[in-house]
Amino acid sequence: MQITPDNKIKKLIVVGDRLLIKPLKPEEKTASGLFLPPGVQEKEKVRQGYVIKAGPGYPIPQVADDDDVWKGRDDQVKYIPLQAKEGDLAIFLQNSSTEIVYQGEKYFIVPQGAVLMLEREDEL
């Protein structure tokens, strides 16, 4: 399989309760028309962006039952799924996130606990 710009993100695996978020471009001017320098935009505490990939969720610890030999061993890890899904618009705390650059594009890796609000296009 050849890696193209369309499928390069598909090869990434996000672990645990983390989300890979592509940030939206911050506003360059205020509502009154004043232009904001890049330093002001970087210091924002709350950012927003689209969820590109989501991890499997919170792992559930397995109970070790040595008495029940007949059950067999299930090495499959079980997870509590995350509330965020791919394509959601997430508003998150920037201080809790980690900024990365992957193939020339900026992304944030954000734990589920740092997400303040989600906007989903699906009908309720």
Side-chain angles (χ1 to χ4, degrees):
M1 179 175 166
Q2 188 171 358
I3 297 177
T4 64
D6 295 333
N7 68 3
K8 68 181 179 180
I9 296 296
K10 291 180 184 178
K11 293 187 115 357
L12 293 178
I13 298 172
V14 181
V15 297
D17 69 328
R18 291 173 180 81
L19 306 167
L20 181 67
I21 296 179
K22 174 117 174 102
L24 291 178
K25 189 174 179 184
E27 294 293 325
E28 294 180 355
K29 58 182 179 177
T30 63
S32 62
L34 295 174
F35 284 96
L36 297 171
V40 172
Q41 299 165 359
E42 298 287 325
K43 292 181 182 177
E44 289 290 324
K45 292 183 179 185
V46 178
R47 296 285 304 260
Q48 59 182 343
Y50 286 100
V51 177
I52 303 297
K53 300 269 297 187
Y58 299 99
I60 300 172
Q62 293 182 351
V63 179
D65 289 336
D66 293 334
D67 297 338
D68 298 334
V69 179
W70 56 272
K71 284 185 179 178
R73 290 238 184 241
D74 185 17
D75 292 334
Q76 191 73 356
V77 178
K78 294 182 174 78
Y79 294 95
I80 298 173
L82 300 178
Q83 191 171 8
K85 300 196 182 322
E86 294 179 11
D88 290 350
L89 177 65
I91 298 173
F92 61 94
L93 296 171
Q94 182 171 339
N95 292 343
S96 299
S97 63
T98 303
E99 182 179 329
I100 63 166
V101 177
Y102 179 70
Q103 295 190 352
E105 295 197 42
K106 183 178 6 177
Y107 296 97
F108 284 99
I109 297 176
V110 182
Q112 171 83 15
V115 175
L116 301 173
M117 186 170 45
L118 295 169
E119 179 182 311
R120 188 169 294 151
E121 296 296 323
D122 296 344
E123 296 293 324
L124 295 176

